[in-house]
Amino acid sequence: MELTIISPLDMHLHLREAEMLDFVLPLTSSYFAGAVIMPNLQQPVDSKDRLTHYRERIVNQCKDHGFEPYMTLFFKPYPANFLDEIKEQIIGIKLYPAGITTQSEQGVGELKEARDTFTIMEDLNIPLLVHGESHGYVLDREEEFLQTYLWLAENFPKLHIIMEHITTRAAVEFLDKYDNISATVTLHHLLLSLDDVIGGLMKPHLFCKPVAKSPRDRDALKQVVFSGHEKVMFGSDSAPHPIHAKECAGCAAGIFTAPLALPALATLFEQEGCLEKLQLFVSDHAVNRYQLQPIKKNIQLVRKPFVIPEKYGTITPFLAGKTLPWSYA
Ligand code: NCD
Ligand code: ZN
């Protein structure tokens, strides 16, 4: 049995820089037609120079793969003339509350002070991608942040706001309240609850931000994804960290899923009896919401066992050592 996915897109991806970038990029560019590239580098991508430089590095590395890097800028207050000049080169601007996750120290402190930039983005039709967590108790952070999404959605009704990597039932319920809100969902949040991370022995390779929540939350995510909800797009949030940064005191947040995401999603959609909806989740919804014209690229999956390697270079992947029923042709 075979399955063709037309122009799969990963709407939230961390490629890092230097050798790590060179290593992980083909593990996405071979299997996807495009990906939204996160800007949280050691020096955030927040200027025209950094953006151009980063994009060129990516494009040069994957010339043969037919892959479009959809670039993002790291949110900070930007003037209108700068955004007007750069808007054709970005798919959106990624907002991190300061210090909330890996390399987000230069993120936003007081959101309402960024009002002018939101207005400019709304006028210029530049989407706002948001890491939606407050600084409250870790399990309440996403739900608390919904007030901020509400403020954004009501005050900037033409701004396309994307709730990145949602993990809660509350966020799923919020999705339908405003037309200008969409969401991405990861692979790992469809599979994990907090029990998997810390319920038994502590599993550093399952630790990410936002942390996986309750089984009830996970079931709400599954329900909305498998129903084919048109505002829900796949964003892997594949976030590689070398093993020494994961297996230590002070484990870095991030799960590496890029090379196995599509076979694992096919497995899940098949288990739920809705394999025909996979195309919507991994491409069509993003094409529609973001109005994209992705590179035409067919990815073939076959029903043949795929043993996920224990390691990719220095990185332990999600589901390491497990066997999936679907693999790349
Ligand atoms: C991401 C990373 O490592 O850059 N980590 C994560 O746990 N998801 C950052 C992020 O998207 O929060
Ligand atoms: Zn991320």
Side-chain angles (χ1 to χ4, degrees), residues 1-5 8 31 259-267 275 278 282 298-304 306 325-329:
M1 189 173 157
E2 290 204 349
L3 175 67
T4 304
I5 308 179
Y31 309 126
L260 53 115
L262 289 178
L265 285 169
T267 306
L275 204 48
L278 181 58
V282 299
N298 287 352
I299 297 295
Q300 298 282 132
L301 299 179
V302 285
R303 227 178 173 296
K304 189 178 81 184
F306 172 25
W326 286 93
S327 56
Y328 294 105

Side-chain angles (χ1 to χ4, degrees), residues 169-208:
R169 175 174 292 264
V172 169
E173 284 166 2
F174 185 80
L175 193 56
D176 286 325
K177 296 216 161 87
Y178 297 90
D179 289 345
N180 56 335
I181 295 267
S182 316
T184 59
V185 174
T186 72
L187 162 68
H188 48 275
H189 289 119
L190 291 172
L191 285 165
L192 300 176
S193 76
L194 190 57
D195 262 353
D196 299 297
V197 190
I198 55 168
L201 293 178
M202 204 263 279
K203 302 278 176 35
H205 299 292
L206 303 182
F207 174 63
C208 66

Side-chain angles (χ1 to χ4, degrees), residues 12 14 38 94 165 237:
H12 183 132
H14 297 271
M38 290 296 130
K94 175 70 188 289
H165 43 50
D237 197 15

Side-chain angles (χ1 to χ4, degrees), residues 226-237:
F226 300 134
S227 72
H229 195 300
E230 63 185 14
K231 290 171 133 199
V232 179
M233 309 170 273
F234 173 60
S236 71
D237 197 15

Side-chain angles (χ1 to χ4, degrees), residues 57-170:
R57 175 83 189 238
I58 295 167
V59 170
N60 288 336
Q61 273 304 113
C62 61
K63 276 199 186 101
D64 309 329
H65 284 160
F67 176 77
E68 178 73 33
Y70 297 105
M71 305 306 290
T72 59
L73 275 180
F74 190 98
F75 187 94
K76 66 183 193 190
Y78 289 109
N81 57 349
F82 170 76
L83 290 181
D84 195 27
E85 191 191 322
I86 210 155
K87 66 172 193 265
E88 302 303 330
Q89 293 162 53
I90 56 173
I91 192 168
I93 302 184
K94 175 70 188 289
L95 187 151
Y96 295 91
I100 206 68
T101 187
T102 308
Q103 287 167 192
S104 62
E105 293 72 19
Q106 296 185 46
V108 180
E110 191 47 61
L111 208 72
K112 294 191 178 160
E113 285 166 18
R115 224 195 156 104
D116 291 350
T117 307
F118 298 138
T119 305
I120 300 164
M121 290 171 67
E122 187 178 35
D123 290 346
L124 294 175
N125 207 10
I126 301 175
L128 176 70
L129 291 67
V130 185
H131 184 115
E133 291 195 282
S134 72
H135 288 90
Y137 169 60
V138 66
L139 292 180
D140 293 340
R141 285 177 193 175
E142 184 173 288
E143 199 158 340
E144 285 176 3
F145 198 88
L146 293 178
Q147 295 167 29
T148 305
Y149 280 128
L150 185 143
W151 178 81
L152 283 166
E154 289 197 339
N155 284 282
F156 308 95
K158 295 206 189 73
L159 180 66
H160 181 198
I161 301 156
I162 301 95
M163 305 195 287
E164 294 294 332
H165 43 50
I166 57 170
T167 61
T168 56
R169 175 174 292 264

